[in-house]
Amino acid sequence: QKEVEQNSGPLSVPEGAIASLNCTYSDRGSQSFFWYRQYSGKSPELIMSIYSNGDKEDGRFTAQLNKASQYVSLLIRDSQPSDSATYLCAVQLDQLDKLIFGTGTRLQVFP
Amino acid sequence: DTEVTQTPKHLVMGMTNKKSLKCEQHMGHRAMYWYKQKAKKPPELMFVYSYEKLSINESVPSRFSPECPNSSLLNLHLHALQPEDSALYLCASSPAGHRTDTQYFGPGTRLTVL
């Protein structure tokens, strides 16, 4: 089992729809979870961080964390073509003193 | 301001060359990181400096040599690289290297080894 898993996609959604991106992790003791957005050829850009169970909202983005299920998700409301990118889930594993990235989910928002 | 800068943006080098990548941040962060990212893959951690001391080396070949001259600056010295080392090299920083800290990435250096 990989430490952090994401569906590679592509996930295609129409403009204005909700995009739902999912991530599972293996280390039950993990405390910190991050979503980064990466446009092709660019560096990762932080979208959200979440540390507690439940939802955290920031504008059109909502991160959801369920530690019991070892699951973290990112919802993007009112998706725009400019949201088309790869979304990387990153988990600070408790067992390893480093940030582990999932393979990323490619999101395509079509007009 | 969450800016991490990296120079150069692009670098082409031969296998016998010696070159250096530079990373700078002025956010007062005390942890700095080097990552390597190949196309369509996630970033892979190479080195971590915490309070100017090397705290993690992810078994990186010795042809990559990191240096942290001060708390704002991080270098990666390159020597005798192989074509498979061609990748995007990312620098990141975080406030203190704690597990809850967010890492902020620089724009990266696109390295091509001929």
Side-chain angles (χ1 to χ4, degrees):
Chain A
Q1 182 188 4
K2 291 184 180 176
E3 292 152 333
V4 179
E5 292 203 60
Q6 295 180 256
N7 187 320
S8 60
L11 172 65
S12 292
V13 300
E15 184 174 357
I18 295 175
S20 177
L21 305 162
N22 305 314
C23 173
T24 57
Y25 58 95
S26 61
D27 182 358
R28 188 171 289 279
S30 299
Q31 300 290 326
S32 307
F33 307 86
F34 306 89
W35 282 100
Y36 288 85
R37 176 175 64 196
Q38 187 170 27
Y39 293 110
S40 182
K42 302 294 186 183
S43 65
E45 172 193 10
L46 181 73
I47 298 294
M48 297 278 284
S49 59
I50 186 165
Y51 306 102
S52 304
N53 278 330
D55 294 0
K56 180 181 177 184
E57 188 175 317
D58 184 1
R60 296 186 297 113
F61 299 97
T62 298
Q64 299 174 319
L65 175 61
N66 184 326
K67 290 185 179 179
S69 300
Q70 294 172 242
Y71 176 94
V72 59
S73 65
L74 180 70
L75 300 178
I76 306 175
R77 288 181 298 282
D78 188 24
S79 296
Q80 301 297 308
S82 58
D83 295 325
S84 298
T86 295
Y87 288 80
L88 295 163
C89 171
V91 179
Q92 180 68 61
L93 300 182
D94 191 48
Q95 295 170 352
L96 298 173
D97 194 16
K98 63 182 183 181
L99 199 59
I100 302 295
F101 287 85
T103 52
T105 297
R106 189 157 66 93
L107 173 66
Q108 295 177 334
V109 181
F110 55 92
Chain B
D1 182 12
T2 54
E3 189 177 28
V4 177
T5 60
Q6 289 186 245
T7 54
K9 286 188 170 58
H10 301 275
L11 178 62
V12 179
M13 59 186 292
M15 289 189 284
T16 58
N17 292 158
K18 285 185 181 181
K19 296 286 185 185
S20 296
L21 310 184
K22 179 180 171 181
C23 173
E24 203 160 0
Q25 57 87 15
H26 295 287
M27 297 178 278
H29 288 179
R30 302 311 301 270
M32 296 184 78
Y33 310 79
W34 280 116
Y35 288 86
K36 173 183 176 179
Q37 188 176 25
K38 302 282 273 185
K40 300 191 187 305
K41 298 289 187 184
E44 293 178 28
L45 183 66
M46 300 174 72
F47 302 103
V48 180
Y49 273 84
S50 180
Y51 291 85
E52 297 153 56
K53 291 192 183 340
L54 183 65
S55 60
I56 294 179
N57 175 341
E58 289 287 298
S59 302
V60 178
S62 59
R63 57 185 185 269
F64 296 91
S65 175
E67 179 196 20
C68 189
N70 59 59
S71 60
S72 301
L73 192 54
L74 185 66
N75 297 319
L76 186 63
H77 303 297
L78 314 172
H79 172 55
L81 294 193
Q82 304 297 309
E84 59 265 29
D85 296 321
S86 299
L88 180 67
Y89 286 84
L90 296 162
C91 174
S93 71
S94 68
H98 296 153
R99 292 184 175 187
T100 55
D101 284 351
T102 298
Q103 293 185 27
Y104 297 94
F105 285 84
T109 293
R110 176 75 59 188
L111 175 67
T112 302
V113 182
L114 301 176

